[in-house]
Structure formats: C-alpha cells, structure tokens
Amino acid sequence: MAQLWSPSVKPVVAELWNGTGRPGRSGSTASSLEPLSPVTSRTRHPGRRFGQIVKLKPEFTEKYKEVHAAVWPEVQKQIKDCNIQDYSIFHDPGTGILFASFKYVGYDYDGDMEKMRENPKVREWWTMTDSFQESLVPGAKSSESGEPSWWQPVEEVFYQA
C-alpha cells in the first residue's frame, strides 16, 4: 500500500466535489484546494480523492507485487479504520512509476492519518516498502519522516463518476 498518509502530508489532489456538484476545478493547485471541513459533527466527508506517485526500483518489481498480493491484515484494517476507501496502486513497468489512488471519506483527516502513523505494523510496512522505492520528492527521507512527503502528490485534472 502507498505510505503517503502521515499527518504531515498535505492533501494535494482536487476534491471529489467542489461545492458545485461537479468534480475538481480547472486550474486548481495544491495551494488553492479547500481544506477538509473541521470536525464540527460526526458527519462523514462525502469523499476526497487522492493520487500520488513514487518510483519502484526495478530490482524490486516482483517483490513489491508479492508483498501487495498479501498485504498484512493489520495494515488493511488500519486503512479501513482510517476511512480510506477505493485504494489502488498501479505500476508502469516502462518508467517504474507507481501510481496510488484512494478516497478519504472520514470527518477528521489529520486525526485519521495520525492514527495510521501510530500503528507499529503500518510503520514496519512503510519501512519495508520504502526500501523498494525511490521518492520523486527532493529531500524526502521516508514515509514516516514527515515533510517532505515520500510519495509525490499529483493533481487530478479530470474525473467522471
């Protein structure tokens, strides 16, 4: 699974809905996105989509696929418990790029990401999978180290439900 959900990582992809009932906004950037609503009730967020990339080291392609064919149950449970849904990772063998996509549907993104980061099995998973990858973010050290983030956030430029 992608490791870019620590509380220090800033969400960068356009929201599923932007208040108009239409996905995204043309020309939106990481700095122009509206933050998730603060916790004022226990209403779930309708869904915020995220996309991220990192490079897979070619010598670890088969190992990466192998570990993701049997993701540790503690990691899968933590993802679900932190209101992450529709989580996928795609691989482009030509470039080695991994593309992760998921939707956050909770009501407290930062709090959920802190819970994710506090799980020792998740941190162990991140350490293992980070060793298979090369970050595209200048200065990134690991998934657990915080800013700058390990996975490069990417902007959503089109979505159709």
Side-chain angles (χ1 to χ4, degrees):
M1 303 275 118
Q3 296 86 349
L4 211 171
W5 46 56
S6 68
S8 62
V9 175
K10 303 298 182 215
V12 180
V13 184
E15 289 192 35
L16 179 59
W17 297 285
N18 62 15
T20 66
R22 295 185 308 273
R25 294 187 290 288
S26 62
S28 69
T29 64
S31 61
S32 69
L33 292 178
E34 297 143 14
L36 294 174
S37 302
V39 178
T40 55
S41 69
R42 302 293 283 183
T43 304
R44 287 186 179 274
H45 193 272
R48 182 171 183 169
R49 297 161 42 89
F50 292 83
Q52 311 158 328
I53 58 173
V54 74
K55 188 168 185 177
L56 182 61
K57 296 175 184 176
E59 65 270 26
F60 291 108
T61 300
E62 291 311 311
K63 183 65 175 173
Y64 193 82
K65 290 178 181 180
E66 178 185 316
V67 300
H68 282 83
V71 175
W72 301 343
E74 302 92 342
V75 173
Q76 289 182 321
K77 182 179 184 321
Q78 191 66 59
I79 291 168
K80 182 178 180 180
D81 290 350
C82 289
N83 298 297
I84 302 290
Q85 295 181 352
D86 298 330
Y87 190 31
S88 298
I89 300 175
F90 299 87
H91 177 240
D92 174 20
T95 64
I97 296 296
L98 294 170
F99 169 73
S101 172
F102 64 90
K103 184 167 60 171
Y104 176 73
V105 296
Y107 54 87
D108 180 10
Y109 182 83
D110 290 338
D112 282 336
M113 298 310 103
E114 184 61 29
K115 288 178 201 170
M116 182 80 68
R117 187 182 185 114
E118 290 171 354
N119 185 315
K121 288 303 270 187
V122 169
R123 290 195 314 272
E124 185 181 345
W125 178 267
W126 289 347
T127 299
M128 175 184 61
T129 57
D130 280 5
S131 72
F132 305 153
Q133 304 163 350
E134 296 175 34
S135 179
L136 300 171
V137 179
K141 296 188 179 13
S142 71
S143 291
E144 191 175 354
S145 68
E147 292 295 330
S149 62
W150 184 251
W151 283 66
Q152 172 69 50
V154 293
E155 179 183 4
E156 181 176 63
V157 295
F158 175 77
Y159 172 75
Q160 181 174 337

